Amino acid sequence: MLKSISLRLCTLIVLLFAGICSFAQQVQVKGTVVEKSSGESIIGASVMEVGSNSNGTITDIDGNFTLSVASGATLSISYIGYKTVTVKAQSTLRIELTEDSQLIDEVVVTGYMSEKKASLTGSVAVVKMKDVADIPTGNVLSSLQGRVAGMNITTDGTPGGGNTSTLVRGKSSFRGDANSPLYVIDGVMTRENISSILSSNDVESIQVLKDAASASIYGAQAANGVIIITTKRAKKGETRVDFDMSLTLQGYQCGFDMLNADEWGQVYWSAYKYANNGATPSSEIYGNGATPKLQDYIGLNGAKVHAVDTDWRDVVYRTALMQNYSATLSKGSDNGAFSLALNYLDHDGLVENTNFQRINTRISSNYHYLDNRLRIGENVAVNRWTQTLSPAGVDENAIKQHPAKTVYDENGDYNDAINDVLGDAPNMARLLENEKRNKHDYWRIFGNAFLEIEPIKDLVLKTNFGMNYYDETNKTFEPAWARDEVNKLTQSSNKRLDWVWTNTVTYSKTFGKNNLTALLGTEAKKNHSESMFGYGTGLAIEDEDYIYLDGVTAGKNVGAGASNYGMVSYFGKVNYDYEGRYLASVTVRRDASSRLAKGNNVDYFPSVSAGWRISSEKFMEATGNWLADLKLRASWGINGNDIIDNEAPYTKYLISLKDASYNMNGDGTTLAPGGYKVRSTNPDLKWESTRQLNIGVDAAFLNGRLSASLDYFDKKTSDMLVEKPYIAVIGEGGYCWYNGGTMNNKGFEMALTWNDKVKDFQYNVAFNLSYYKNEVTELTEEIYYTYGGGNGVDKTLVGQPFGSWMGFKTDGVFRTQQEVDEYKSKYNVRFGAPGVGRIKYVDADGNGTIDTNDRVWLGSDNPKVIAGLNLGASWKGFDLSMFFNGMIRDAYNNSKYYTDLFQCWTGNHSTRLLDAMHAYENFEKTGVYNSSVPALTTLNSNNEHEVSEFYIENGSYIKLKSLTLGYTLPKAVLDKMKMRHARIYFQAQNLFTITGYTSADPEGLGYPYPLPRTFSLGLSFGF
């Protein structure tokens, strides 16, 4: 018995010892994979145990990995575009990969997860931040115009970049505010202006999800695409201090010249004689002689004004300075990292007294515990900014000012003359001075915190809570002046709190050659906003210290309101690939919105996509010497849109003393507030949905030196949300939201890149092009002939691009009296007054009568083609880049109403009117009027203010958007200075534009805040 027990005990000891030895032969490796040249972490690098087909992992977003392998094993680390490295397994490793070719297979954030770009089956664009890092801007998105196929960004020169807007694959909605994409910043969704959340130095990467398959994980919020922004984080095991600074000089640029005071008088004399059979005018400003002569006059204040020439653009605009400073401190350890970033932007505007000042503070950290099975982190930004705004319509009013109108009268007071020919445009210098004292202060706290748990290998549970708090206060004061002796004050406050809570479960597993990733999630969000305002007049003291609402003496009015919006969502996604050759993805999301009627506020948004890497097939082996990669992909999906009033599903009443008061006690004096109906409900209101088909090809040639990406998309939006117009006889509350139309966008996108290196010289070329076609395909019966500019009788927007113009076709101007006589004899003219030099209207309906029935659709300013070209080169520390962008489109040049038609406005005009004046003088000698500008006249008898082809021009352009020259100190010098990097650069923006457009800037149509030409000097260094 003892022998038996001894035998069993020995057996147990042997087995236990064998188990211990077996366990001792396993090594847990923790490592980081970085790029050798820059030290930047590589996301998604493959780490495999040599000799094993299944034991491996990929690096996370910080380049880190953890893997258990046999003692003495060898690891193989690979990443497309880099040379594969093999190392002996150790407990701690730092692996540096060197670039093998210029093609790098990025890992991108695609919504609640990260994926290798090589495995994507949807249309996703990745912005290379190094291409735009030097561009001085208050809004990082403004630097991307023309750089991403399928994305159109419009901006102007407003300090801080506050007027930047973005479209992804065109307009998908009838409502302008519902066409912007969803922004996701570190997992927090927002549609707020990016300039108030981030500085460009905060941004690590930007991905643009363009098709339904890539964006459908965001369901009802993704009809207009999704832009995912990831901010910079500290790297493991590193301590860094980085500084970036730039000084930018901004100059005003204009595409046309204006008349001076003497030229204006000459043009006026000519116009008056044309309209009055050769008679000359009598003017207080120009006299009554045979030729005009400037003379002093009495202004609105009763003081004398010395008539001299004034260039009002010199008064309104200035050369301005923009300063941008950033400092970042980051520290990484074995179990986490922390970073603190500070940014200060002081952006003076081109318009006098305008300014934007912003202080950004961003704190981020991430730590891991329990052998990297527990991970926590946060990103929090606290921002404060102030603005001094420009008066409304500043660029238009700068053109309107008469050149003989001075800034001041002889007493030094502002000259607001409205007599004679000077017009009634307000003195812009006075308005700019008034605006300088108005205060606009803002605060924002934006951030998220997350917790990740990996209870078992390949299974990750994550919870993420995001918050966006916004606080705004405004004070606007309008002093008394000669035409309005009552001063006015408005103060307002707006607060907003948005939160979103997301919980996901992700499972990733490799089964031999099969790779599977599954995601399940739930999300809840709520937006709450409150606002209040006060208004009053008659402040006794206009000193800045006394301009508050308690000082108003009359016209008192106050108001307040609040609004809520919520959404609850459930979603899932499965990605599968076999050997990276056959790829598939399925996504579905269920959203419930508080903005839609009960019973219709829940919907499902599915998508499917597939890809085939043809280059991995055996029959393609012979192409390996020139074809590096070839992938076909296709996707289909549905996204939604619910961007309407938060109260849309309700019948809405307001309580008001001003608009619904009642004399309840019958004394005829005392009023009590009452209620009135402002909107009716629609119980059938449902989602606006967008179905999109996408077919794409990705390819790389010549060992990755040449890459190409092509996409075709067909995007149809149905059940479009519209606020129905109504006639007054319906009474109060006639406004109502309903589903009322469909619209289609089709297009083609192309991106080509060439990268190469010849010894120390590296160069690259990147070109992208997007083609669009937009069409309204259906409208409901109630608005079929009225919506969007229809004539209300027989012409509808259906079949036309959204935003089309309806007006008269024209055939130039009448050049001879014979042309005028023949036209009058041929047509029954009921619209206009034909004459030499007048616009010639076309009989569009062919009935022999010229009337308002000849109005037709004339097109739209929707871009037909958008393109961008980036040229870059570097040699021994020097780098040079040039970026061109351009567009093909028509443009409605509404500035011609002021610049080219003397009879429509008494303000200033373009010098093109001098050509018209000389052309009519030649007509009087030769009988032929040779000018495309209508003849000068003071009478608008030909109705030339009406919409017509006269205003439509070729708005296409090519612009040298930016040029950058930089120098980076060599490593040997940096080592002596104990620095990690140092670079100085010079940059210029908006250097020249090639265009046939005759107004200020074809990039910004109408009267936006003008885009400046800028010259910047920047410095970047770190330790």
Side-chain angles (χ1 to χ4, degrees), residues 417-545:
I418 61 170
N419 53 326
D420 199 50
V421 297
L422 298 183
D424 62 352
N427 188 316
M428 286 304 298
R430 176 178 59 80
L431 296 185
L432 290 168
E433 183 64 25
N434 292 347
E435 193 67 44
K436 184 172 67 173
R437 296 196 293 178
N438 294 333
K439 297 183 181 299
H440 307 275
D441 298 324
Y442 312 83
W443 281 92
R444 188 186 296 280
I445 301 174
F446 188 98
N448 72 300
F450 68 88
L451 169 67
E452 281 186 344
I453 301 175
E454 191 172 354
I456 60 174
K457 185 179 179 182
D458 303 323
L459 180 67
V460 178
L461 313 179
K462 182 176 181 179
T463 183
N464 185 84
F465 185 82
M467 184 189 73
N468 176 18
Y469 174 75
Y470 172 79
D471 189 300
E472 169 189 346
T473 58
N474 300 284
K475 184 165 69 172
T476 304
F477 178 67
E478 183 181 329
W481 62 294
R483 291 178 63 184
D484 188 350
E485 297 181 355
V486 178
N487 56 37
K488 304 173 181 65
L489 173 64
T490 301
Q491 287 187 252
S492 64
S493 173
N494 298 285
K495 295 182 179 180
R496 181 185 177 105
L497 176 61
D498 306 338
W499 60 260
V500 56
W501 185 23
T502 308
N503 297 279
T504 59
V505 179
T506 306
Y507 181 73
S508 302
K509 189 66 177 177
T510 299
F511 305 93
K513 297 179 180 180
N514 301 275
N515 300 293
L516 177 71
T517 300
L519 170 75
L520 289 175
T522 179
E523 189 167 74
K525 73 172 187 176
K526 184 176 181 179
N527 301 345
H528 174 77
S529 60
E530 295 183 5
S531 62
M532 62 180 66
F533 78 92
Y535 171 83
T537 63
L539 284 87
I541 303 175
E542 293 193 350
D543 185 273
E544 188 172 355
D545 294 334

Side-chain angles (χ1 to χ4, degrees), residues 177-196:
D177 60 344
N179 282 305
S180 63
L182 176 72
Y183 301 106
V184 181
I185 304 173
D186 293 327
V188 183
M189 292 167 287
T190 184
R191 296 188 188 273
E192 300 287 322
N193 193 296
I194 297 300
S195 67
S196 66

